Amino acid sequence: MKKHISIIASALAVLSLASCSKDTEGMTQITYYAVIDLEGPVYDQAVAGTPYQDPGYSATMQGEDITADVKVSTDMDLQNPKPGYYTVTYSAVNEDGFPASSTRYVLVTDPDDKASGYYTTDANSFRVASAGTTYYGNSYSVTVYGDGSGHYHVSDFLGGWYAQRAGYGGSYAAVGQCDIAADGTISLVSSSVAGWGDSLSGLSEASFDAAAGTISWVASYAGMEFHVIMTK
């Protein structure tokens, strides 16, 4: 009986090796991925209407320079960029067809647009809830950018409370639109928290201080108030 079991096991092992061999036919035994390094800032800024100057990049694979093989793709008009927030993707594929990529983020603003920028939430921002007041305690990133007509996109009206502080991820950011008037007054246009399928109930005490480079507001959400102060 043991002899029969041994023969069957050997046969299965041969079949398994043959199957694996067929599955990996034409592929190298060890695959090396491209490594793409970005020069300059990952979060970059550019002026609308002025050709975008890429800070540069380099790529290697198994110690060999393959920078010339990198493909660069973006929706931004590189020669005449319009106001907005764009990604620039640098990608390369190895000989086995496995891709590798790096991404740069570019905020394009009008020369006279003082409000658009990368902001940092002040650690002294706080949330008021039924259980009491809780301070943010750390700084979190928020991106604000306009389209040139006074309308602005905000990556998180809650200043990163759930998306970054709680670690829930981008689906729990209060993404939306607002208008910023010439005197710095901010009014809410729309908002959405995709993770919970709801939105802010209001935005008050909202203003932009061009001299200080700060934005502040009280975002009302789910029966709570988020007192957010952000600085560029």
Side-chain angles (χ1 to χ4, degrees), residues 72 108 113 126 154:
V72 181
V108 179
D113 182 3
F126 59 92
V154 179

Side-chain angles (χ1 to χ4, degrees), residues 36-48:
I36 303 173
D37 295 313
L38 301 183
E39 299 172 8
V42 173
Y43 292 89
D44 202 4
Q45 289 188 262
V47 178

Side-chain angles (χ1 to χ4, degrees), residues 85-217:
Y85 193 51
Y86 303 90
T87 58
V88 182
T89 303
Y90 309 79
S91 58
V93 179
N94 70 8
E95 59 185 2
D96 290 326
F98 292 108
S101 65
S102 292
T103 302
R104 193 189 311 277
Y105 304 88
V106 183
L107 178 62
V108 179
T109 63
D110 281 325
D112 297 327
D113 182 3
K114 305 300 183 183
S116 291
Y118 297 114
Y119 286 80
T120 301
T121 303
D122 191 300
N124 290 319
S125 297
F126 59 92
R127 182 189 71 170
V128 179
S130 58
T133 298
T134 306
Y135 287 87
Y136 279 57
N138 285 301
S139 299
Y140 304 101
S141 301
V142 177
T143 304
V144 177
Y145 61 91
D147 62 5
S149 66
H151 302 299
Y152 288 81
H153 175 90
V154 179
S155 65
D156 192 357
F157 281 106
L158 301 179
W161 181 272
Y162 292 112
Q164 299 172 59
R165 185 181 187 275
Y168 292 172
S171 294
Y172 295 89
V175 178
Q177 308 287 330
C178 69
D179 287 341
I180 302 181
D183 64 356
T185 301
I186 300 176
S187 56
L188 179 66
V189 175
S190 64
S191 66
S192 174
V193 182
W196 284 305
D198 54 12
S199 60
L200 301 183
S201 55
L203 195 70
S204 59
E205 302 176 35
S207 64
F208 165 63
D209 185 332
T214 61
I215 285 178
S216 61
W217 54 50

Side-chain angles (χ1 to χ4, degrees), residues 24 46 58 71 80 125 129 157 209 228:
T24 57
S58 61
K71 306 298 182 184
N80 185 26
S125 297
F157 281 106
D209 185 332
V228 179

Side-chain angles (χ1 to χ4, degrees), residues 39-66:
E39 299 172 8
V42 173
Y43 292 89
D44 202 4
Q45 289 188 262
V47 178
T50 300
Y52 176 66
Q53 299 296 321
D54 193 302
Y57 58 90
S58 61
T60 58
M61 186 161 58
Q62 199 180 356
E64 180 183 351
D65 188 343
I66 61 164

